[in-house]
Amino acid sequence: MEKMNVRFMIVLMVMCLALGYSSAVDFRWRRTAGFSDRFTRAVSSVVFPVNGNVYPLGYYNVTIHIGQPPRPYYLDLDTGSDLTWLQCDAPCVRCLEAPHPLYQPSSDLIPCNDPLCKALHLNGNQRCETPEQCDYEVEYADGGSSLGVLVRDVFSLNYTKGLRLTPRLALGCGYDQIPGASSHHPLDGVLGLGRGKVSILSQLHSQGYVKNVIGHCLSSLGGGILFFGNDLYDSSRVSWTPMSREYSKHYSPAMGGELLFGGRTTGLKNLLTVFDSGSSYTYFNSKAYQAVTYLLKRELSGKALKEARDDHTLPLCWQGRRPFMSIEEVKKYFKPLALSFKTGWRSKTLFEIPPEAYLIISMKGNVCLGILNGTEIGLQNLNLIGDISMQDQMIIYDNEKQSIGWMPADCDELASLKAAQVYEY
C-alpha cells in the first residue's frame, strides 16, 4: 500500500510539473552540438575522469551532470548492470547517505509501454499497474537494490574535441534503496554501463552520438578515466577476445578461460568469466579459489611471510618481519596469475594478473589476497574480474565488433591528459 501511495504521488507530481513543461525547450540543442554535427560526433569520444581506488575506499566513481540546470552526481561505474539510477526525491521512502541533495525528477516520465521499459523487463516480470509510468526494481549480487520509476532528463557531456552535447536519456528515479553488504560508501547512484538497450552507452549510440564502445583505465594509485567511443586507442595494440553471445547480459569472453599460475597451467579450464567494474575485488569460483590459495600457500612455505590471522581486512593476509609500505616490497614473493582465452581454433590471448593486480597492503601493513571466493556469496560457478585485476590496463568493450580487449596503459598520464577536456563548467 505504501508503494502504491508513492506511485500515486509520483504521477501527481509529474502532472503538476507538466503544466510548465515545454518540449521545445527541453529538446533544444546547443549550437556546439546540433544535429548537423551527427557525423562529427560519431567519430569522437566522451571522456569522464574517474575518482576512487580499490583500497581503502573500495570503489571508483565518475561525476555526471544531469538536469536543467545541470547538477553534479557521483555515480558508481558498473559494467555489470544496465540501468543508471539516482537516489530521488519522489518523495523518497528510503534513501541512503549521499554526497549531494537528492535528484529532483524531470517531468518526462517514461510510460510502461515504452520500448526502453520493455527492454528493462526482458525477464517477463513487467506489470503495468500504472500505465503512465515504468516501474523498476534492480538487485545486485551484494544484496543491495533500488526501486523506482524511469524518467528522461538532460545529461551534460563533453566530447574529446571540446564540443558539448545535451542528450535526453532514460534513468531511474530511485525512491527506495536497500544497501548491499559492500555498499558502505556514500554515492548518489549507479552508472549502468552494461550491454542492454537501457544502458547509457546504448542510448547514446542509438541517438548517433558515439560508437557502441566503452572503456576504462583505472590507476592503481587511484583515479583514471572512463570513455565512450573508439578514438582513444590503437586497436592493433590491443589483445582481443570475442564476447560471449550465449552469456549476453554481461561482458564475458566467448571461450572459457584457462587459469595459469607462474606461467604454468593449473588444470582449470573453461572458466566462465565476466569483467565487472562494479566489483572492487576479483572473485573465483570455489574450485579456482581453492587452487590459487593452495598454490600461494605452498609457494610461500618457508619464506619470510606468515599468515596474519588477526588481520580481517580480507580473508587471507600475510605479515612480514615489519609492516609493508607498498606492494613493491612484497611482490617478489608471489607468482603471476593469468587467464588464457581462445580467440580461434588455435590462437589464444592472455589476460595477465601480476601480483600487484591481486594484492593489497592493509592498514596494518600486511599483504592481503584481493581474490575472493565467489561461490560463497552466491556467484555459483562465475569468475568475476574486478577492479583490482584491471588496474593499469585499458579495458575495452567493443559492442560493435563483439570483442573485449586490453592493453597496458599509464592510466595516471591518460587522466591528466584528458582532465582539461572534460567537465569544465
Side-chain angles (χ1 to χ4, degrees):
M1 179 63 69
E2 185 179 37
K3 289 182 181 177
M4 289 185 67
N5 289 336
V6 171
R7 291 193 181 100
F8 174 77
M9 293 179 73
I10 292 172
V11 174
L12 182 63
M13 179 189 68
V14 170
M15 290 175 66
C16 293
L17 288 172
L19 294 175
Y21 174 72
S22 167
S23 60
V25 172
D26 285 338
F27 283 90
R28 185 178 298 145
W29 298 93
R30 295 174 184 261
R31 291 181 181 179
T32 55
F35 282 106
S36 61
D37 298 316
R38 176 73 52 102
F39 177 77
T40 302
R41 292 203 304 262
V43 292
S44 187
S45 293
V46 176
V47 182
F48 309 86
V50 170
N51 295 300
N53 55 49
V54 169
Y55 182 81
L57 288 180
Y59 65 93
Y60 287 92
N61 71 283
V62 295
T63 303
I64 304 289
H65 291 76
I66 303 171
Q68 291 180 307
R71 301 183 186 279
Y73 298 97
Y74 296 163
L75 301 184
D76 193 347
L77 58 100
D78 186 12
T79 58
S81 64
D82 294 334
L83 181 66
T84 292
W85 58 267
L86 293 173
Q87 297 202 98
C88 180
D89 189 6
C92 194
V93 175
R94 216 171 1 181
C95 279
L96 312 175
E97 178 187 0
H100 295 104
L102 296 179
Y103 168 67
Q104 298 289 333
S106 77
S107 56
D108 194 353
L109 198 64
I110 293 178
C112 190
N113 62 357
D114 188 280
L116 284 179
C117 186
K118 293 180 179 179
L120 190 60
H121 296 90
L122 283 177
N123 56 6
N125 65 352
Q126 183 181 17
R127 292 180 294 177
C128 291
E129 296 178 4
T130 309
E132 295 87 359
Q133 68 188 43
C134 176
D135 298 304
Y136 79 83
E137 183 173 9
V138 291
E139 298 179 346
Y140 299 97
D142 66 353
S145 66
S146 175
L147 178 72
V149 295
L150 288 190
V151 298
R152 280 190 177 89
D153 210 338
V154 174
F155 281 60
S156 297
L157 309 172
N158 278 7
Y159 279 128
T160 52
K161 294 182 178 179
L163 297 177
R164 176 75 54 79
L165 61 150
T166 54
R168 293 187 69 84
L169 304 174
L171 72 152
C173 161
Y175 55 76
D176 190 353
Q177 276 68 241
I178 296 176
S182 60
S183 300
H184 56 274
H185 47 273
L187 292 172
D188 297 303
V190 170
L191 183 65
L193 304 170
R195 299 171 69 179
K197 291 183 179 179
V198 76
S199 77
I200 293 299
L201 174 65
S202 295
Q203 291 186 64
L204 286 171
H205 173 65
S206 67
Q207 294 181 31
Y209 287 103
V210 293
K211 296 289 188 181
N212 197 359
V213 178
I214 187 174
H216 52 72
C217 196
L218 306 176
S219 171
S220 57
L221 300 177
I225 64 167
L226 168 74
F227 61 90
F228 301 158
N230 65 346
D231 62 350
L232 266 70
Y233 58 89
D234 180 355
S235 183
S236 66
R237 297 177 55 208
V238 178
S239 298
W240 295 101
T241 191
M243 282 186 197
S244 172
R245 296 186 183 275
E246 295 179 4
Y247 201 70
S248 59
K249 289 186 177 180
H250 300 288
Y251 294 112
S252 176
M255 303 293 185
E258 178 182 1
L259 182 62
L260 308 179
F261 179 81
R264 296 182 177 182
T265 183
T266 61
L268 295 170
K269 301 180 179 180
N270 300 317
L271 297 174
L272 176 60
T273 307
V274 167
F275 288 76
D276 185 1
S277 68
S279 173
S280 297
Y281 296 107
T282 289
Y283 290 83
F284 284 168
N285 65 34
S286 285
K287 194 171 183 179
Y289 175 76
Q290 290 166 8
V292 168
T293 54
Y294 168 77
L295 290 167
L296 285 174
K297 289 178 180 180
R298 188 181 69 179
E299 190 69 24
L300 294 174
S301 178
K303 301 279 179 72
L305 300 178
K306 65 177 183 178
E307 285 191 46
R309 300 186 185 277
D310 61 338
D311 191 339
H312 303 293
T313 304
L314 289 172
L316 186 56
C317 298
W318 296 271
Q319 64 186 40
R321 294 188 179 91
R322 56 184 177 78
F324 298 110
M325 300 299 292
S326 71
I327 295 294
E328 293 299 318
E329 296 179 50
V330 72
K331 69 178 185 180
K332 63 184 178 182
Y333 297 112
F334 295 84
K335 288 188 175 181
L337 295 167
L339 285 166
S340 176
F341 297 103
K342 292 181 180 179
T343 57
W345 181 250
R346 293 185 177 179
S347 58
K348 296 181 180 181
T349 186
L350 207 62
F351 182 79
E352 298 183 37
I353 309 175
E356 55 267 36
Y358 67 80
L359 299 172
I360 67 160
I361 300 298
S362 74
M363 291 296 186
K364 294 186 175 183
N366 299 319
V367 57
C368 299
L369 179 64
I371 297 174
L372 310 178
N373 190 331
T375 305
E376 287 185 349
I377 63 166
L379 294 178
Q380 284 80 43
N381 203 38
L382 194 66
N383 299 277
L384 193 152
I385 305 300
D387 295 335
I388 189 171
S389 300
M390 297 190 284
Q391 293 176 124
D392 299 325
Q393 295 195 72
M394 182 178 285
I395 310 294
I396 304 152
Y397 313 96
D398 190 330
N399 292 294
E400 300 199 354
K401 296 179 180 178
Q402 290 291 292
S403 296
I404 302 172
W406 52 84
M407 60 181 286
D410 188 333
C411 301
D412 294 306
E413 183 179 0
L414 275 174
S416 61
L417 286 174
K418 299 300 177 185
Q421 299 177 336
V422 292
Y423 288 129
E424 294 295 335
Y425 284 91

